Amino acid sequence: MKKSLILLLVLIMSAGSAHAFLGWNNDDIDTEGKGYLGTLPNITKPYEPSEPAQGAPIFDKTKQFHSVNELKPIPREDPAFVNIILKQDKTSQYINDLNDFVLILEKVYDSIEDGEDVQMFMARVYFFNKHAEHFKDKYLNKPESYYETYQKILDVSFRARTIAQLRAEAEKYKPYLAYSGAGKIYNSENIDEQLTLLKYEIETTIVMLKEAE
């Protein structure tokens, strides 16, 4: 009899321990037959529209447009910027043309100074005359045609062409002409004198063109 009671107590205690071990309690027993009361997984989550991803910026940081460190200095020393960007008018283009003549006239001046032969001198004068003809037609009957620099270029062009022709004729005819009368104009002394005068005129013209505004 005692053994039966002891056995019964052991079974009761074992049952209680089993309930505790398995996580059963009285509330679980009371909800039996009432359906599942736990938390169900959110099965609609995979079908929810995904939020658009925000693109990462290309640069690490945005530079301020008006930042002093980001602005480049204005190239005021650049003739193309000064004459074309800052002064968009006929005068600026005229000044550019004068600057071109400065370089051309310097070549003619150096040709006389260095004593280049007739062919080289004539080639440089021919190049100068062609530019002068285009320059004349470009500003003919325009306000620029009244500028002193405009007329000066045409005058120097005429003188240079005359002396180039004189040198060419001297090379061609001097073996047949006596250095007297009409043939005197072809002698070397006269040609040298004419070249010296032309060189001086070119020099003063270059100064005038450089000072033009």
Side-chain angles (χ1 to χ4, degrees):
M1 183 67 179
K2 291 181 178 180
K3 292 181 178 181
S4 298
L5 291 174
I6 293 172
L7 181 60
L8 181 60
L9 290 174
V10 170
L11 292 175
I12 293 172
M13 293 176 66
S14 300
S17 299
H19 283 204
F21 178 76
L22 297 175
W24 294 349
N25 52 41
N26 292 333
D27 294 335
D28 295 333
I29 297 174
D30 294 339
T31 58
E32 185 177 356
K34 296 182 180 181
Y36 181 77
L37 299 181
T39 301
L40 293 174
N42 186 5
I43 61 176
T44 63
K45 186 174 182 180
Y47 301 96
E48 293 178 355
S50 59
E51 296 181 359
Q54 295 182 355
I58 298 176
F59 305 101
D60 295 336
K61 61 180 180 180
T62 303
K63 295 181 178 180
Q64 297 295 329
F65 177 79
H66 294 290
S67 173
V68 177
N69 295 330
E70 297 300 328
L71 295 178
K72 294 183 179 180
I74 297 175
R76 295 187 179 275
E77 299 299 326
D78 186 352
F81 178 83
V82 174
N83 294 328
I84 298 175
I85 304 300
L86 296 184
K87 300 188 300 181
Q88 294 182 351
D89 54 21
K90 294 180 180 179
T91 302
S92 64
Q93 184 57 55
Y94 182 81
I95 295 298
N96 287 336
D97 290 339
L98 295 185
N99 290 334
D100 292 338
F101 276 109
V102 169
L103 299 177
I104 297 173
L105 287 172
E106 286 177 347
K107 295 294 185 181
V108 179
Y109 181 93
D110 291 340
S111 179
I112 301 173
E113 184 74 12
D114 298 338
E116 291 184 333
D117 58 27
V118 177
Q119 288 75 17
M120 184 61 69
F121 174 77
M122 291 184 63
R124 297 191 187 281
V125 171
Y126 177 82
F127 185 73
F128 168 45
N129 288 334
K130 282 299 179 181
H131 276 73
E133 290 175 4
H134 175 72
F135 178 77
K136 177 182 177 181
D137 295 338
K138 182 177 182 179
Y139 295 105
L140 185 64
N141 298 325
K142 293 182 179 180
E144 290 83 357
S145 64
Y146 296 99
Y147 294 168
E148 185 179 3
T149 50
Y150 175 85
Q151 190 60 48
K152 188 65 173 178
I153 288 175
L154 299 184
D155 290 343
V156 176
S157 174
F158 175 78
R159 178 177 290 275
R161 182 170 60 251
T162 301
I163 296 177
Q165 182 177 358
L166 177 64
R167 290 191 67 181
E169 291 176 352
E171 288 293 316
K172 182 178 181 180
Y173 299 123
K174 70 181 180 180
Y176 312 103
L177 296 174
Y179 287 85
S180 60
K184 187 177 180 179
I185 62 173
Y186 297 114
N187 63 36
S188 59
E189 289 79 8
N190 180 58
I191 292 177
D192 289 342
E193 182 181 354
Q194 296 300 321
L195 289 174
T196 300
L197 293 175
L198 176 61
K199 187 173 68 171
Y200 173 77
E201 190 170 358
I202 289 175
E203 186 176 8
T204 56
T205 303
I206 290 175
V207 173
M208 181 186 296
L209 298 183
K210 288 183 176 181
E211 293 177 350
E213 296 181 355

